[in-house]
Amino acid sequence: MSLNSESLVGQDAALRAQLADYASRHPEHAGLADEFSTLLDDAENPFLRSRLAGHFTGSAWLVSADGERILLTHHRKLDRWLQLGGHADGERDLAKVALMEAEEESGLSGLVLEDGVLFDIDKHWIPERKDVPGHWHYDARYVVRALGSETFVVSEESLALAWRTVAEVAAEAIETPDGDPSLPRMAKRWLAR
């Protein structure tokens, strides 16, 4: 086995361990964690967006320094309020993807990965758009904290960005027409920590 192959195996083993830990902490998501682990074994690289049956993405639960607020994006393509995140594009360290996407989509400096522990996982359908058929995103979410200025810059990926209190997000109906049903789940989880 080459050094590069050993590195990939090690990264996949680390993600598999994170998924097992997540499933033990959130048994209601154990089946979904198993789906994520199974995707790791796919012969077609699940870290590339070109795997159109579905692929991994990384997202950030981007909280303010005091942990009271979260930065959300009004996603341009999906026209929904979501956490910041995006495609792995070959990167197998999904926590690194989450941090990078948070930096790119917010323009914030001083962002830090809280602990590298999976905060949430979600499998969601992305509808067909132009020449890209509909497909599944297997999204791994990590806590990222903003320790510097909270003055964000709206990127081309977003229609808008907004800081919202975690309590406000937790209080929303589970299925809002313009929001993601996983946002209230993550907000409640964050408040219960």
Side-chain angles (χ1 to χ4, degrees):
M1 187 179 298
S2 72
L3 182 59
N4 191 32
S5 295
E6 288 176 18
S7 175
L8 295 179
V9 169
Q11 288 176 323
D12 289 357
L15 179 55
R16 202 178 305 279
Q18 287 180 23
L19 289 162
D21 173 66
Y22 178 84
S24 71
R25 289 182 288 117
H26 302 287
E28 71 280 8
H29 280 173
L32 185 56
D34 286 344
E35 278 189 60
F36 276 58
S37 287
T38 299
L39 184 60
L40 273 170
D41 299 326
D42 197 281
E44 189 178 352
N45 187 342
F47 294 91
L48 296 175
R49 69 175 80 195
S50 58
R51 185 186 183 281
L52 293 179
H55 45 259
F56 287 117
T57 56
S59 290
W61 179 253
L62 178 49
V63 294
S64 55
D66 63 6
E68 298 294 318
R69 289 167 290 117
I70 177 172
L71 186 63
L72 297 176
T73 176
H74 188 176
H75 195 277
R76 183 174 298 279
K77 291 179 182 173
L78 298 176
D79 193 24
R80 295 168 68 188
W81 284 96
L82 303 166
Q83 72 286 339
L84 297 125
H87 290 99
D89 289 330
E91 174 61 59
R92 294 177 107 80
D93 181 343
L94 295 177
K96 183 177 177 179
V97 171
L99 179 60
M100 182 184 65
E101 290 289 335
E103 291 169 342
E104 288 176 3
E105 292 183 10
S106 71
L108 295 174
S109 59
L111 298 182
V112 295
L113 190 62
E114 185 84 349
D115 54 17
V117 173
L118 266 175
F119 177 63
D120 189 67
I121 58 174
D122 193 68
K123 177 184 172 186
H124 50 268
W125 182 253
I126 301 299
E128 179 179 356
R129 181 166 165 78
K130 296 184 181 175
D131 61 342
V132 179
H135 58 277
W136 291 102
H137 277 183
Y138 292 78
D139 197 33
R141 284 99 180 255
Y142 297 86
V143 176
V144 173
R145 196 173 291 262
L147 297 181
S149 168
E150 292 184 4
T151 305
F152 54 76
V153 177
V154 178
S155 76
E156 63 184 39
E157 304 249 345
S158 303
L159 295 170
L161 295 173
W163 285 103
R164 296 193 44 211
T165 66
V166 176
E168 176 187 13
V169 174
E172 289 180 355
I174 295 301
E175 298 207 30
T176 57
D178 65 340
D180 184 298
S182 68
L183 287 176
R185 177 182 73 229
M186 290 187 289
K188 290 172 185 166
R189 183 176 293 161
W190 180 253
L191 292 173
R193 75 194 191 293

